[in-house]
Amino acid sequence: MKKDKIIMFPGDKIRFLTDILRKQIDLRNQLETRANVTMGFSATIVAFTINYFIQGKETFGSVIIMFASMLAILSSLLSLKPPKLFSRKGQKQSVFYHTAISSVSPEKYISSLQKITSNEKTVIEQYGLEIYNLTKHSIHYKKFFAHIAIQILVVGLIVGTIVTIVQWV
């Protein structure tokens, strides 16, 4: 069977890479939104459970719910800004990275962009570096901590509710 060769017109490779990069940026934004929503919901639960403590109506279940909500807030914060321990230093950075932009003069940055865009292979390399670094060093840890936050909150709410119901019976 004969394999069809994919024909790419000028600019198709760059559009393809831009689409991949945009997808990764959208995923990162979605994870940050998820972490913010989880943190807000958890903070609301903490505020309500503190009210039970002030009124002297606390139960072991409300302690579990409050503790789980506080852990979910912490994990959400870690999702938004993972500790430096989880970010790798020394990896090769693309021209898209903010330090590559902010560490040089505008003229030097424009010159480096002109140099890079004069060669398609170099452009693809820069896109590849940015996509890899964004996925490996940012999205991976954001996703991990965002999922942990949601799991902690859900399990804490379920266990705390069950314990409270058992105490009432």
Side-chain angles (χ1 to χ4, degrees), residues 3-84:
K3 292 186 179 181
D4 292 331
K5 185 176 179 181
I6 297 175
I7 299 172
M8 296 191 106
F9 295 102
D12 285 350
K13 291 178 185 176
I14 303 305
R15 279 189 287 279
F16 174 72
L17 293 170
T18 301
D19 289 344
I20 294 172
L21 181 59
R22 172 59 37 208
K23 181 181 177 188
Q24 296 305 311
I25 291 170
D26 289 345
L27 177 59
R28 183 192 63 199
N29 292 342
Q30 180 186 32
L31 290 169
E32 288 178 356
T33 300
R34 187 180 302 167
N36 279 316
V37 168
T38 304
M39 190 168 30
F41 189 66
S42 299
T44 303
I45 292 171
V46 169
F48 279 120
T49 53
I50 285 177
N51 192 30
Y52 281 108
F53 284 90
I54 292 171
Q55 295 174 1
K57 298 179 182 177
E58 72 277 354
T59 63
F60 186 61
S62 64
V63 171
I64 292 171
I65 290 172
M66 188 163 110
F67 184 69
S69 297
M70 291 167 80
L71 285 176
I73 290 171
L74 177 65
S75 185
S76 294
L77 285 170
L78 291 173
S79 175
L80 293 172
K81 182 69 174 145
K84 294 210 183 275

Side-chain angles (χ1 to χ4, degrees), residues 109-123:
Y109 186 69
I110 290 168
S111 172
S112 70
L113 286 177
Q114 288 170 339
K115 181 180 171 189
I116 288 167
T117 56
S118 66
N119 181 346
E120 186 180 77
K121 184 179 177 184
T122 312
V123 171

